[in-house]
Amino acid sequence: MSIPSRTALIDHLVRTRIAGDVATPRENNLDHYRKLANGDRHYWFGLEFGDRWTDEQDVLAVMAERCGVSDDLGHRAGQDTIDPELTVAALDRMAAVLRKAAAGRQRVLFATGHPGGLLDVHRATAAALRAAGCEIVVIPDGLTADEGYVFQFADVAVFERGATLWHTHSPAPMAAILDGLAREGRPLPDLVVADHGWAGCAAQRGLDAAGYADSNDPALFLAEAEGTLQVAVPLDDHVRSPRFYDPLTAYLLAAAGLAAQA
């Protein structure tokens, strides 16, 4: 993969709507912030917030700071944004986490609840870390969660039901993996790189975790703000083509010193 400059990557993110004026509408963002603040666990992604985020305006303030959505309380519908500068800054923080993992030859687990968009981002990152000497955690066989199956495809844990990979926010698949590793007496990962409830569950259990999150998924950004999650990278997690994420992956691996391994 050719490695874009920071400026070229920002232009690409905006052009492909991974960041900038994204497809997720403002009303959907605000609806999810409100539901998280009202205690709807579906939007907590396996994290435990107690009563710390019961005001949706506080959630909005964090999302404006860390994701780049509009901080205008009067903006209730229409276009919303992800700041591409914040996306690239978070990729740099993610790169530092990956660099540390490579230096320590850590055990790393990759997982995605958004296989249609992010599967290949995780796959390429896993391949680069394996080439650098890391152990990519192999999950136990026969795991089930949410009336489906948890298995590994191209080094990335995914959720399957009815012979189809599913988009899921649920933390249950990650819980099944971690519990399965414990039952087998195997060590837990040193690092989890994931998204959605997969990342939230790992972080809540005290594991080092980093993840990707969309503008309508505030939980991981709140977890980063609280120090539970190491990094939350803001992006639209399912744009028109999964190939649009290739320059982002190339930039990330180069920043982590893993480009030669890709």
Side-chain angles (χ1 to χ4, degrees), residues 123-210:
R123 178 209 59 78
T125 308
L129 283 179
R130 173 182 279 113
C134 287
E135 175 189 344
I136 305 305
V137 174
V138 177
I139 71 171
D141 287 332
L143 298 178
T144 60
D146 294 335
E147 301 181 343
Y149 298 92
V150 185
F151 71 100
Q152 216 158 10
F153 179 74
D155 285 332
V156 185
V158 291
F159 178 69
E160 185 262 356
R161 187 190 294 171
T164 302
L165 302 188
W166 276 55
H167 167 215
T168 177
H169 290 184
S170 173
M174 178 58 73
I177 293 173
L178 300 179
D179 292 344
L181 290 171
R183 281 195 306 271
E184 293 185 358
R186 294 168 54 195
L188 295 178
D190 299 310
L191 173 66
V192 173
V193 181
D195 47 70
H196 287 176
W198 306 77
C201 175
Q204 184 62 41
R205 292 202 181 193
L207 299 176
D208 285 348

Side-chain angles (χ1 to χ4, degrees), residues 3-130:
I3 301 166
S5 67
R6 184 185 184 92
T7 299
L9 178 60
I10 287 173
D11 290 344
H12 171 80
L13 296 175
V14 172
R15 186 171 61 255
T16 58
R17 301 184 74 186
I18 293 173
D21 289 342
V22 292
T24 308
R26 176 68 166 187
E27 50 268 41
N28 186 257
N29 285 340
L30 295 179
D31 178 63
H32 287 199
Y33 305 167
R34 183 180 311 110
K35 287 176 177 175
L36 181 146
N38 288 340
D40 187 333
R41 293 301 184 97
H42 176 77
Y43 298 93
W44 286 22
F45 284 11
L47 292 151
E48 292 297 331
F49 293 121
D51 60 358
R52 298 188 299 280
W53 299 99
T54 56
D55 187 333
E56 67 179 280
Q57 293 187 14
D58 291 339
V59 178
L60 174 61
V62 171
M63 294 303 292
E65 176 188 13
R66 293 181 177 269
C67 184
V69 302
S70 171
D71 63 358
D72 180 1
L73 295 174
H75 179 37
R76 309 301 298 179
Q79 184 66 56
D80 214 340
T81 57
I82 293 175
D83 186 341
E85 294 280 356
L86 293 178
T87 302
V88 178
L91 288 171
D92 289 338
R93 297 196 302 277
M94 175 80 83
V97 171
L98 298 178
R99 193 181 309 115
K100 178 182 176 182
R105 300 199 169 189
Q106 293 181 348
R107 296 182 304 278
V108 187
L109 173 63
F110 288 86
T112 185
H114 233 305
L118 299 179
L119 178 62
D120 212 38
V121 177
H122 291 302
R123 178 209 59 78
T125 308
L129 283 179
R130 173 182 279 113

